[in-house]
Amino acid sequence: QVEVVESGGGLVEPGGSLRLSCAASGSIVRIDVMGWYRQAPGKRRDMVAVILDSGSTHYPDSVKGRFTISRDSEKSAVYLQMDNLEAEDTAVYYCHARVQIPDTVALQDYWGQGTQVTVSS
């Protein structure tokens, strides 16, 4: 079994910063991609940042230049540094990991429970 756990959410004023952390643990052969998604009330879950095993990163235009994703492969961890936060960034942030588990070839998707980020004055 694989577990994905996030931490680091909270309340911050517009223009402030937060750093989210996520770690995957359990029976893991390798992690292909890790990333962050967010979901605001009444909206769909959208990609915020992803980082591939190669180190390549991808961001939507809405966060490009403000958010930075990084990865510690030895710790099966991923981080999201969020700067210059805006009210529109308010959402529940979910960590995602695409993992190969023992005795399988196909990659499987695992999600964390989510952490609330609120940007408000």
Side-chain angles (χ1 to χ4, degrees), residues 11-85:
L11 172 65
V12 63
E13 293 185 348
S17 297
L18 276 177
R19 179 177 167 88
L20 304 183
S21 300
C22 169
S25 61
S27 300
I28 297 172
V29 173
R30 71 179 184 93
I31 299 177
D32 181 49
V33 58
M34 296 189 79
W36 292 94
Y37 292 71
R38 68 186 179 187
Q39 188 168 20
K43 295 188 177 182
R44 68 180 186 185
R45 187 176 297 187
D46 287 328
M47 185 267 286
V48 174
V50 295
I51 184 165
L52 307 183
D53 194 31
S54 63
S56 177
T57 59
H58 301 276
Y59 306 92
D61 288 343
S62 59
V63 307
K64 200 172 291 184
R66 300 189 298 120
F67 290 12
T68 304
I69 189 170
S70 59
R71 181 170 170 176
D72 185 335
S73 296
E74 291 188 3
K75 296 181 180 179
S76 298
V78 66
Y79 309 96
L80 185 67
Q81 177 66 39
M82 304 185 292
D83 298 318
N84 194 21
L85 283 160

